[in-house]
Amino acid sequence: MAKPTLEGLPTELLILILLEIPDLPSLKSIVLSSPICHQAYLSIRREALSGIVKNQYGVHLGDAIAATRSRGLHFGARKQEAIAMLDTWRRKEEINKLALGSSIRIDEPGSIEEILHLFYLHKVFHFLLKEYETKVPRPPWIAKDQWEKEILPIALSPTEKHRLLRALCQLQILANIFGSYEQTATEEYKSHLWNDNHKSMIDEEPCRLFFGTIPPWEFQEMGCVWAYFTTMFDDIYKEIDVGLHDLMEKHASKDPKDGWQREYFEFLPDDVMPPWWGGIDKLRNVERIWGFSNSMALMGPEFVYRLLHAAPLVQRDMVMLNGEDEILTCFPGMHMPEESMFPLLYPADRHSVQDYEQLWSTLPYIEQPNLGWKQVHVLPQTPEQTFEEAIDFDGARKSLWSWGYAIIDDERLMAWKAPLVEFRLGEEPEFAV
């Protein structure tokens, strides 16, 4: 008796099998195994790929789709379209429950192109998650030797992965809509110097439209990931520095009469000349790139991923065209007064109740703030306090963000003996922050 094969199954049954495959490598292996499997796949391609995307992102699919659909919707140039997309994103659960707006559903990929970009974003996010496990910055109270030999790499818990993935999606949306345009050529950079639309549009209105719709701890989660990004570029800066010195040594004029030209990049050959219009026009100014990390991180996860994987000359140009001095850039909303952050908008406004801690206890763990956030931001409670009165935003400090205080699970914070576990807001010793 012949051994049963996939090719021998009825097409309808083969399609059902293909739709149950949970990951892309397995689907590819089966589809390429025979012309019959390939033909069956073509008839349900979008449905099969959509199922895998849903499996990859889980509850964060809506955030990932928003990160995809927000591409090109810069607030300065397409304000109304950006607001409409943000409105759909924040109301996704309401829209789904009411079965409204099927053409703008935020939990369903709308096209093959969108599905392929979601696969690409997942690749980006997966890489950054793995990097976080091995390179998360050391908390200041843990000795360097202990950190490197006993703690790293950390194995992220499912909840920590959820927080990081959510923050990555939100940072990508933020960069797409409110960030600076990515500059890819010197002439493009020069033309944008006189165009205010290329600058970041993060002011009070955008902050309310974006941050007002998410719980305050998700803002801090985003800050933690942004602060982590700022630590990822030093090796690139070192290579840029060495590379530019080597280029000048190789190509600079040896004629004593041209001595003043030896430091200026504009006298390099065109094929190796860096884009020096960002204020770094000579060797003695190269050290400024070490102050670009804030702005590099604000360009978003996808930009950070491409920068880390680019060839050295491409890395150099990406940094020199898009970097800004750290005194001009910080995480948006970091220094906004509390009155600009409240009242919360839907759906974050569900937390605007007096018995907020009781509400949190009814939510899935990934929707609750972690212990670190509570210790830093929740003031000692009295029965009369509302949520807005009980929350303090002054604790938004990059020194706390850098080691992920709002990301890390309660159990890990206690295992690390984090001082903020023991001390409440305003009481923690200096080394804890």
Side-chain angles (χ1 to χ4, degrees):
M1 182 177 178
K3 187 177 181 179
T5 62
L6 281 175
E7 294 93 326
L9 295 174
T11 301
E12 295 80 3
L13 186 54
L14 181 55
I15 286 174
L16 290 175
I17 292 173
L18 292 175
L19 291 175
E20 291 298 318
I21 297 175
D23 60 83
L24 206 54
S26 299
L27 179 65
K28 182 178 180 180
S29 177
I30 292 177
V31 167
L32 296 180
S33 66
S34 76
I36 293 175
C37 291
H38 185 259
Q39 193 64 35
Y41 161 73
L42 291 178
S43 68
I44 44 92
R45 180 188 181 198
R46 176 171 164 178
E47 190 176 356
L49 295 177
S50 181
I52 293 175
V53 163
K54 291 178 181 178
N55 187 56
Q56 287 181 331
Y57 287 99
V59 297
H60 299 302
L61 179 60
D63 297 330
I65 291 177
T68 294
R69 293 180 183 169
S70 59
R71 291 175 297 164
L73 297 184
H74 194 271
F75 197 78
R78 301 173 66 181
K79 180 175 179 178
Q80 295 307 316
E81 293 169 271
I83 290 175
M85 203 290 303
L86 288 173
D87 193 54
T88 300
W89 173 53
R90 75 183 180 96
R91 295 175 58 237
K92 55 183 179 288
E93 292 185 12
E94 176 190 359
I95 291 171
N96 292 342
K97 287 178 182 177
L98 297 175
L100 296 175
S102 59
S103 62
I104 56 170
R105 284 180 67 92
I106 201 70
D107 63 342
E108 290 284 349
S111 65
I112 289 293
E113 188 273 336
E114 197 165 86
I115 290 171
L116 295 178
H117 190 264
L118 287 165
F119 280 135
Y120 167 68
L121 270 189
H122 187 266
K123 176 183 176 182
V124 169
F125 296 160
H126 178 74
F127 168 81
L128 294 171
L129 285 175
K130 299 305 291 185
E131 287 288 290
Y132 193 88
E133 289 185 322
T134 59
K135 297 178 182 177
V136 58
R138 175 180 60 87
W141 67 89
I142 298 180
K144 185 174 185 291
D145 195 56
Q146 179 189 4
W147 182 252
E148 293 176 353
K149 294 182 179 180
E150 299 178 20
I151 298 178
L152 289 181
I154 63 173
L156 292 168
S157 72
T159 305
E160 290 167 336
K161 289 180 181 178
H162 272 293
R163 293 188 185 116
L164 285 165
L165 181 56
R166 176 171 59 204
L168 288 167
C169 290
Q170 291 170 340
L171 284 169
Q172 192 61 56
I173 298 168
L174 187 74
N176 290 344
I177 296 180
F178 301 116
S180 295
Y181 288 132
E182 181 182 350
Q183 313 301 327
T184 58
T186 301
E187 292 305 313
E188 180 183 351
Y189 180 94
K190 290 159 64 179
S191 69
H192 278 121
L193 285 176
W194 309 104
N195 181 0
D196 287 340
N197 283 342
H198 90 288
K199 292 296 184 183
S200 172
M201 296 292 292
I202 288 295
D203 54 24
E204 185 168 334
E205 181 187 14
C207 272
R208 292 281 295 122
L209 287 170
F210 186 89
F211 293 119
T213 67
I214 64 176
W217 52 88
E218 292 183 18
F219 166 79
Q220 307 294 341
E221 291 168 1
M222 293 173 64
C224 289
V225 177
W226 168 78
Y228 166 64
F229 283 169
T230 66
T231 69
M232 301 180 77
F233 311 125
D234 281 358
D235 288 344
I236 294 175
Y237 298 154
K238 291 175 186 175
E239 189 158 355
I240 291 172
D241 191 354
V242 171
L244 288 173
H245 277 83
D246 289 346
L247 283 175
M248 295 304 289
E249 178 67 24
K250 179 178 180 180
H251 295 286
S253 171
K254 303 297 189 291
D255 190 329
K257 294 183 297 182
D258 298 331
W260 65 276
Q261 298 180 1
R262 292 176 185 172
E263 276 208 350
Y264 287 86
F265 300 143
E266 64 181 299
F267 297 104
L268 287 170
D270 289 345
D271 60 335
V272 295
M273 184 190 302
W276 47 272
W277 285 97
I280 302 179
D281 58 345
K282 54 189 175 184
L283 279 180
R284 70 180 66 181
N285 292 342
V286 171
E287 64 184 25
R288 294 181 187 173
I289 61 177
W290 268 268
F292 284 178
S293 294
N294 285 359
S295 57
M296 292 289 98
L298 279 177
M299 297 298 292
E302 194 270 339
F303 176 90
V304 171
Y305 174 83
R306 285 190 289 110
L307 177 62
L308 294 174
H309 288 83
L313 284 181
V314 177
Q315 288 179 328
R316 181 198 71 185
D317 292 356
M318 290 175 73
V319 168
M320 296 181 74
L321 281 168
N322 294 283
E324 293 186 55
D325 194 278
E326 63 184 348
I327 64 173
L328 302 175
T329 53
C330 66
F331 190 72
M334 189 173 182
H335 303 300
M336 285 191 69
E338 291 184 26
E339 57 267 22
S340 298
M341 305 292 279
F342 290 114
L344 295 174
L345 305 176
Y346 179 86
D349 60 356
R350 67 173 171 164
H351 300 283
S352 297
V353 294
Q354 284 191 324
D355 55 347
Y356 50 87
E357 297 214 47
Q358 192 280 328
L359 170 65
W360 295 343
S361 69
T362 68
L363 300 176
Y365 197 59
I366 62 170
E367 296 181 24
Q368 302 178 31
N370 76 338
L371 177 61
W373 186 88
K374 292 176 186 176
Q375 290 289 96
V376 172
H377 297 284
V378 180
L379 296 166
Q381 186 179 4
T382 62
E384 303 81 40
Q385 282 183 314
T386 64
F387 177 71
E388 288 87 346
E389 293 168 341
I391 303 303
D392 184 274
F393 278 93
D394 290 338
R397 289 164 286 186
K398 192 176 179 182
S399 56
L400 276 173
W401 283 352
S402 64
W403 59 268
Y405 85 106
I407 298 286
I408 301 302
D409 278 347
D410 302 355
E411 296 78 12
R412 198 186 302 274
L413 288 172
M414 290 184 281
W416 287 357
K417 300 180 180 178
L420 57 73
V421 172
E422 185 177 348
F423 296 91
R424 293 298 299 239
L425 181 67
E427 300 175 343
E428 69 271 24
E430 184 64 27
F431 69 85
V433 298

